[in-house]
């Protein structure tokens, strides 16, 4: 099981990283971000990916192993030699426990570490390349109480065309600035951005006395604080997925009221344990799936394994959504997928060991017949 596990882990991690290839290309080509910075962001993202990749790889490794044993009639040979299927379970449990320990390390230590380092690296990049976060023809509201709209951005010269700013940093005033052109300057060491505008108009509304003023200008400077835009970097408040296990427990213990943030943090707490346990549930489920897929196409067996993992992930995602909404306790949403998959695995395993298998091959036949009927109708 070790060889297919390593191959699946590398393959699925590569697939997850490829989902970011467009963002990576854009950062390198358009914004001239160094290749080293991009590689480091990818490295820091790996622990988060491995949280889901390892349970998936455990399931696929067990499934591939038993597919091979079954297709080579080795299961029949073992039974003829007096060894039941139950005799093969300890090996799978030990292997799944290894996956559980690895996944637990990633959820408790690896993922928060990676998220924190990604935040710090992003902070450094944004300070040096402030135009990375600005998008053309989009209302950019990343800066606190300041909304920017820029029609066109020249990435090389950092010149801006048709700029609109709504400034609400003064609670008693609303200031809107319109300018046909502008320019960006940044001070990375001070985490400040200077936006210099030319030949525009300032419209100011005083909310206290209901007065309005309009001023034309030749040059106008707007100073923006990157720290407030991106959140504090090192030492600042952490998101729930950046907290260590001790920090999550401390937060849940001292939280004044059970608001939306409380439920999100509680879900993250249960995820740190439920996702590693999924290695056991999916590993047990893979045994009967591999044995009963003997006469099926190997690719169909792999598709079946991926299908069950997709079901698990959908149940986990639904549990997160309903848990955050307070529909039911977050613990239920995070642990039900393990109970369902583990229970189904035990049920199929008992039937398979007693030579009363659920005919999974018939499922492929039914799906094939349905597909052919739909094809004829089209």
């Amino acid at each position: 099981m070790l060889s297919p596990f390593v191959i699946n882990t590398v393959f699925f991690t590569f697939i997850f990283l490829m989902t970011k290839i467009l963002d990576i290309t854009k950062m390198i080509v358009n914004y001239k971000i160094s290749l080293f910075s991009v590689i480091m962001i990818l490295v820091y993202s790996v622990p988060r990916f491995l949280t889901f990749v390892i349970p998936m790889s455990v399931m696929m490794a067990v499934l591939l192993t038993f597919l091979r044993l079954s297709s080579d009639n080795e299961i029949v040979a073992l039974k003829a030699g007096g060894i039941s299927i139950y005799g093969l379970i300890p090996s799978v449990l030990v292997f799944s426990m290894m996956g559980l320990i690895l996944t637990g390390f990633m959820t408790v230590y690896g993922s928060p570490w990676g998220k924190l380092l990604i935040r710090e690296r992003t902070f450094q990049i944004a300070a040096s390349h402030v135009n990375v976060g600005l998008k053309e023809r989009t209302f950019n509201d990343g800066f606190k109480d300041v909304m920017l709209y820029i029609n066109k951005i020249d990435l090389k010269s950092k010149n801006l065309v048709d700029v609109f700013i709504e400034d609400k940093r003064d609670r008693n005033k609303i200031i809107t600035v319109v300018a046909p052109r502008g320019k960006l300057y940044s001070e990375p060491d001070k985490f400040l951005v200077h936006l210099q505008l030319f030949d525009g108009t300032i419209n100011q509304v005083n909310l206290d006395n209901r007065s309005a003023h309009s001023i034309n200008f030749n040059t106008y400077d707007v100073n923006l604080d990157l720290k407030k835009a991106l959140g504090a970097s090192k030492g600042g408040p952490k998101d729930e997925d950046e907290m260590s296990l001790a920090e999550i427990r401390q937060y849940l213990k001292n939280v004044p009221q059970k608001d939306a943030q409380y439920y999100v943090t509680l879900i993250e707490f249960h995820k740190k344990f439920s996702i590693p346990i999924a290695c056991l549930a999916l590993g047990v489920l893979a045994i009967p799936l591999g044995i009963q897929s003997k006469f099926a196409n190997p690719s169909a067996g792999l598709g079946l394994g991926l299908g069950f993992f997709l079901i698990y992930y959908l149940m986990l995602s639904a549990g997160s959504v309903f848990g955050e909404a307070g529909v039911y306790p977050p613990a239920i949403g995070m642990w039900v997928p393990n109970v369902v998959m583990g229970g189904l695995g035990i049920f199929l395993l008992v039937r398979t060991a007693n030579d009363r298998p659920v005919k999974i091959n018939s499922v492929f036949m039914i799906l094939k017949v349905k597909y052919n009927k739909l094809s004829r109708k089209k």
Side-chain angles (χ1 to χ4, degrees):
M1 291 179 285
L2 290 174
S3 296
F5 171 77
V6 173
I7 294 172
N8 278 282
T9 301
V10 173
F11 174 74
F12 288 124
T13 302
F14 177 77
I15 294 298
F16 274 91
L17 291 176
M18 285 301 98
T19 61
K20 294 182 172 291
I21 192 64
L22 291 178
D23 294 333
I24 294 170
T25 304
K26 184 177 180 180
M27 291 172 69
I28 295 175
V29 175
N30 293 341
Y31 301 115
K32 309 301 180 183
I33 305 300
S34 68
L35 183 60
F36 176 76
S37 296
V38 173
I39 291 175
M40 292 310 298
I41 290 177
L42 290 178
V43 171
Y44 299 151
S45 301
V46 169
R48 187 73 173 176
F49 294 152
L50 289 178
T51 299
F52 295 98
V53 167
I54 294 175
M56 188 191 308
S57 298
V58 167
M59 182 182 186
M60 298 306 294
V62 176
L63 179 62
L64 285 169
T65 299
F66 279 85
L67 271 173
R68 179 65 182 271
L69 288 171
S70 184
S71 62
D72 290 348
N73 293 316
E74 293 186 46
I75 297 294
V76 176
L78 288 170
K79 287 182 178 180
I83 301 176
S84 70
I85 293 175
Y86 294 126
L88 303 176
I89 294 178
S91 300
V92 175
L93 292 180
V94 170
F95 178 73
S96 299
M97 282 297 300
M98 293 169 56
L100 185 154
I101 293 171
L102 285 174
T103 308
F105 179 81
M106 291 300 166
T107 57
V108 176
Y109 300 104
S111 184
W113 169 82
K115 286 287 291 183
L116 279 174
L117 292 179
I118 287 175
R119 178 200 268 200
E120 292 180 15
R121 179 67 63 172
T122 303
F123 196 89
Q124 295 169 0
I125 292 174
S128 303
H129 305 80
V130 66
N131 55 324
V132 171
L134 298 179
K135 297 180 180 180
E136 297 179 345
R137 304 180 188 88
T138 302
F139 290 97
N140 300 276
D141 56 357
F143 295 98
K144 187 177 181 181
D145 297 323
V146 177
M147 189 272 293
L148 298 175
Y149 180 89
I150 303 170
N151 188 48
K152 186 178 180 181
I153 303 174
D154 190 327
L155 298 175
K156 293 183 179 179
S157 63
K158 295 186 179 180
N159 289 327
L160 312 177
V161 178
D162 295 334
V163 182
F164 172 83
I165 301 175
E166 184 181 54
D167 190 344
K168 295 182 180 179
R169 287 177 290 185
D170 189 336
R171 298 301 178 186
N172 299 320
K173 299 177 182 178
I174 297 179
I175 300 173
T176 58
V177 184
V178 181
R181 58 192 180 92
K183 197 171 185 67
L184 274 174
Y185 302 94
S186 63
E187 294 183 77
D189 54 332
K190 297 180 180 179
F191 299 105
L192 291 176
V193 177
H194 303 288
L195 183 59
Q196 191 173 48
L197 304 177
F198 305 98
D199 303 324
T201 303
I202 302 173
N203 298 300
Q204 180 176 298
V205 177
N206 193 312
L207 300 178
D208 290 336
N209 55 23
R210 303 287 181 175
S211 62
H213 303 278
S214 181
I215 304 171
N216 295 324
F217 62 84
N218 293 325
T219 304
Y220 181 70
D221 293 329
V222 180
N223 298 321
L224 304 173
D225 192 344
L226 274 175
K227 288 185 178 180
K228 293 182 179 180
L230 300 174
S233 58
K234 193 171 183 179
K238 298 179 180 179
D239 293 333
E240 66 280 350
D241 54 357
E242 298 172 347
M243 295 181 184
S244 66
L245 193 59
E247 289 172 334
I248 291 179
R249 284 176 174 171
Q250 189 68 22
Y251 172 83
L252 296 174
K253 182 180 179 180
N254 300 327
V255 66
Q257 61 180 0
K258 295 183 179 181
D259 54 4
Q261 184 60 37
Y262 169 82
Y263 287 112
V264 171
T265 307
L266 186 58
I267 287 172
E268 188 66 27
F269 175 78
H270 284 287
K271 274 185 179 180
K272 291 185 181 296
F273 300 98
S274 66
I275 294 178
I277 295 295
C279 292
L280 285 174
L282 295 173
V284 171
L285 176 61
I287 297 174
L289 290 181
I291 295 174
Q292 295 187 38
S293 300
K294 173 182 177 180
F295 300 107
N297 190 312
S299 61
L302 292 175
L304 188 66
L306 291 174
F308 274 102
F309 184 83
L310 179 60
I311 293 172
Y312 165 81
Y313 183 76
L314 290 175
M315 287 193 294
L316 190 70
S317 300
S320 297
V321 172
F322 291 121
E324 290 178 14
V327 176
Y328 48 68
I332 295 177
M334 294 298 98
W335 289 99
V336 162
N338 289 342
V339 174
V340 172
M341 290 298 169
L344 181 61
I346 293 173
F347 170 74
L348 293 176
L349 182 61
V350 171
R351 291 187 63 90
T352 302
N354 294 332
D355 293 322
R356 292 187 298 149
V358 177
K359 295 183 179 180
I360 295 180
N361 296 332
S362 61
V363 176
F364 295 114
M365 296 301 297
I366 293 172
L367 293 175
K368 185 176 181 180
V369 171
K370 294 290 184 181
Y371 176 78
N372 290 334
K373 287 183 178 179
L374 289 174
S375 299
R376 292 194 201 100
K377 288 181 180 180
K378 289 182 180 181

